[in-house]
Amino acid sequence: QVQLVESGGGLVQAGGSLRLSCAASGSIFSINVMGWYRQAPGKQRELVADITSGGTTNYADSVKGRFTISRDNAKNTVYLQMNSLKPEDTAVYYCNAKSPILTIIVDYWGQGTQVTVSS
């Protein structure tokens, strides 16, 4: 089992910045990919960015150039630096960890942290 604890959400004005953190504990040796998803009211949860254990990153088109994901393997923590925030970035942000077990991928989720961007 993997436990994920997020921090860093809050209220910010458009154009501002926030940094989210997600600390993993438990069976962390099994984690391959860590990332951030978000879900706005009335919308489906969507991938924001993810990063492999080797450091390869992937971003949603809507956040490219504004958000940066990073990972500190020594601290078992993944970060999401969010700059130039827009009102449409308002959502609950969830940390995700993927653990391959035999032929399946097990998803672990954090409890979510609210990010609100005012115009």
Side-chain angles (χ1 to χ4, degrees):
Q1 291 292 318
V2 173
Q3 294 79 44
L4 303 172
V5 178
E6 301 132 335
S7 60
L11 173 65
V12 65
Q13 288 188 332
S17 298
L18 283 174
R19 188 193 195 205
L20 305 183
S21 300
C22 173
S25 61
S27 301
I28 55 176
F29 60 88
S30 66
I31 296 173
N32 181 10
V33 180
M34 293 189 73
W36 292 92
Y37 288 69
R38 67 186 181 187
Q39 188 166 19
K43 294 188 177 181
Q44 289 189 331
R45 190 173 297 188
E46 63 176 1
L47 174 69
V48 176
D50 60 23
I51 183 168
T52 69
S53 55
T56 300
T57 58
N58 176 47
Y59 294 92
D61 288 342
S62 59
V63 306
K64 283 181 181 176
R66 300 188 298 122
F67 292 10
T68 302
I69 190 169
S70 60
R71 183 170 176 172
D72 186 334
N73 288 328
K75 295 183 178 180
N76 305 312
T77 300
V78 64
Y79 305 95
L80 185 68
Q81 178 66 44
M82 305 184 292
N83 298 328
S84 301
L85 282 160
K86 304 175 181 180
E88 51 263 44
D89 295 317
T90 295
V92 178
Y93 284 69
Y94 295 92
C95 180
N96 171 265
K98 296 188 185 300
S99 175
I101 299 178
L102 297 179
T103 60
I104 65 172
I105 304 295
V106 178
D107 280 293
Y108 297 96
W109 295 95
Q111 78 281 2
T113 185
Q114 177 71 46
V115 171
T116 302
V117 184
S118 62
S119 57

